[in-house]
Coordinates of all heavy atoms in Angstrom, one line a residue:
A281 N -138.5 34.0 -112.5 CA -138.6 32.9 -111.4 C -138.8 31.6 -112.1 O -140.0 31.2 -112.3 CB -139.6 33.3 -110.4
K283 N -138.9 28.6 -111.3 CA -139.7 27.5 -110.7 C -141.1 27.4 -111.3 O -141.6 26.4 -111.3 CB -139.8 27.8 -109.2 CG -140.5 29.0 -108.8 CD -140.8 29.1 -107.3 CE -139.6 29.5 -106.5 NZ -139.2 30.9 -106.8
D302 N -134.2 33.6 -111.7 CA -134.2 33.4 -110.2 C -134.3 31.9 -110.1 O -135.3 31.4 -110.5 CB -135.3 34.2 -109.6 CG -135.6 33.8 -108.2 OD1 -134.6 33.8 -107.4 OD2 -136.8 33.5 -107.9
S325 N -132.0 32.1 -105.1 CA -132.8 32.3 -103.9 C -133.0 30.9 -103.2 O -132.5 29.9 -103.7 CB -134.2 32.8 -104.2 OG -134.1 34.0 -104.9
R372 N -131.9 38.3 -97.5 CA -133.3 38.4 -97.7 C -134.0 38.7 -96.3 O -133.6 38.0 -95.3 CB -133.9 37.0 -98.1 CG -135.4 37.1 -98.2 CD -135.9 35.8 -99.0 NE -137.4 35.9 -99.1 CZ -138.1 34.9 -99.7 NH1 -137.4 33.9 -100.2 NH2 -139.4 34.9 -99.7
I385 N -149.0 30.1 -100.1 CA -148.0 30.9 -100.9 C -147.8 32.3 -100.4 O -147.3 33.1 -101.2 CB -148.5 30.9 -102.5 CG1 -149.9 31.4 -102.6 CG2 -148.4 29.5 -103.0 CD1 -150.4 31.6 -104.0
H422 N -139.5 39.1 -100.8 CA -140.5 38.5 -101.6 C -141.6 38.1 -100.7 O -141.4 37.2 -99.8 CB -140.0 37.3 -102.4 CG -141.1 36.5 -103.1 ND1 -141.7 36.9 -104.3 CD2 -141.8 35.4 -102.7 CE1 -142.6 36.0 -104.7 NE2 -142.7 35.1 -103.7
S425 N -147.1 35.2 -103.5 CA -147.4 35.0 -104.9 C -148.9 35.2 -105.2 O -149.7 35.0 -104.2 CB -147.0 33.6 -105.3 OG -146.9 33.3 -106.6
Q426 N -149.2 35.4 -106.4 CA -150.6 35.7 -106.8 C -151.2 36.8 -105.9 O -152.3 36.7 -105.3 CB -151.4 34.4 -106.7 CG -152.9 34.5 -107.2 CD -153.0 35.1 -108.6 OE1 -152.2 35.2 -109.4 NE2 -154.2 35.6 -108.9
G461 N -141.0 38.7 -106.6 CA -142.0 38.6 -107.7 C -143.3 38.7 -107.0 O -143.5 39.5 -106.0
G462 N -144.4 38.0 -107.5 CA -145.6 38.0 -106.7 C -146.8 38.6 -107.4 O -147.9 38.4 -107.0
L463 N -146.6 39.4 -108.5 CA -147.8 40.0 -109.1 C -148.7 38.9 -109.6 O -148.4 38.0 -110.2 CB -147.2 40.9 -110.2 CG -148.2 42.0 -110.8 CD1 -148.6 42.9 -109.6 CD2 -147.5 42.7 -111.8
E497 N -138.1 39.5 -109.7 CA -138.2 38.0 -109.9 C -139.6 37.6 -110.3 O -140.2 36.8 -109.6 CB -137.8 37.3 -108.6 CG -136.4 37.6 -108.1 CD -136.2 37.0 -106.7 OE1 -137.1 36.5 -106.0 OE2 -135.0 37.1 -106.2
P498 N -140.1 38.1 -111.4 CA -141.5 37.8 -111.8 C -141.6 36.3 -112.3 O -140.7 35.9 -113.0 CB -141.9 38.7 -112.9 CG -140.5 39.0 -113.6 CD -139.5 39.0 -112.4
G499 N -142.6 35.6 -112.0 CA -142.9 34.3 -112.5 C -144.2 34.2 -113.2 O -144.3 34.3 -114.4
R500 N -145.2 34.1 -112.4 CA -146.6 33.9 -112.9 C -147.0 35.0 -113.9 O -147.6 34.6 -114.9 CB -147.5 33.8 -111.7 CG -148.9 33.4 -112.0 CD -149.8 33.5 -110.8 NE -149.3 33.2 -109.6 CZ -149.5 32.0 -108.8 NH1 -150.3 31.2 -109.3 NH2 -148.9 31.9 -107.7
R536 N -152.6 22.6 -108.9 CA -153.0 23.8 -108.2 C -154.4 23.7 -107.6 O -154.6 24.2 -106.5 CB -152.9 25.1 -109.1 CG -151.5 25.2 -109.6 CD -151.2 26.6 -110.3 NE -151.3 27.6 -109.3 CZ -152.4 28.4 -109.1 NH1 -153.4 28.3 -109.9 NH2 -152.4 29.3 -108.1
Y540 N -154.4 24.3 -103.7 CA -154.7 25.6 -103.2 C -156.2 25.9 -103.5 O -156.6 27.1 -103.5 CB -153.8 26.6 -103.9 CG -152.4 26.3 -104.1 CD1 -151.9 26.2 -105.4 CD2 -151.5 26.2 -103.0 CE1 -150.5 25.9 -105.6 CE2 -150.2 25.9 -103.2 CZ -149.7 25.7 -104.5 OH -148.4 25.4 -104.7
Y594 N -146.6 27.3 -112.8 CA -146.9 26.3 -111.7 C -147.8 25.2 -112.2 O -148.7 24.7 -111.5 CB -147.5 27.0 -110.5 CG -146.5 28.1 -110.0 CD1 -146.9 29.4 -110.2 CD2 -145.3 27.8 -109.5 CE1 -146.1 30.5 -109.8 CE2 -144.5 28.8 -109.0 CZ -144.8 30.2 -109.2 OH -144.0 31.2 -108.8
M598 N -145.0 21.4 -111.6 CA -145.5 20.7 -110.4 C -146.1 19.3 -110.7 O -146.7 18.7 -109.8 CB -146.4 21.6 -109.7 CG -145.8 22.9 -109.1 SD -146.9 24.0 -108.4 CE -147.6 23.1 -107.0
Ligands
LIG719 N1 -139.1 35.0 -106.0 C1 -139.2 34.1 -104.9 C2 -138.1 34.1 -103.9 C3 -140.2 33.2 -104.8 O1 -140.3 32.4 -103.9 C4 -141.2 33.1 -105.9 C5 -142.3 32.2 -105.8 C6 -141.1 34.1 -106.9 C7 -140.1 34.9 -107.0 C8 -142.1 34.2 -108.1 O2 -143.4 34.5 -107.7 P1 -144.5 34.8 -108.7 O3 -144.1 36.0 -109.5 O4 -144.6 33.7 -109.6 O5 -145.7 35.0 -107.9 N2 -147.0 26.9 -106.6 C9 -147.7 28.1 -106.2 C10 -146.9 29.3 -106.2 C11 -145.6 29.2 -105.4 C12 -144.7 30.5 -105.4 C13 -143.4 30.3 -104.8 N3 -142.5 31.3 -104.9 C14 -148.9 28.3 -107.1 O6 -149.2 27.4 -107.9 O7 -149.7 29.2 -106.9

Side-chain angles (χ1 to χ4, degrees):
K283 64 171 79 67
D302 166 49
S325 302
R372 179 166 178 184
I385 54 176
H422 170 79
S425 195
Q426 183 55 17
L463 198 57
E497 302 172 351
R500 191 184 323 254
R536 304 193 66 258
Y540 321 113
Y594 306 109
M598 291 172 66

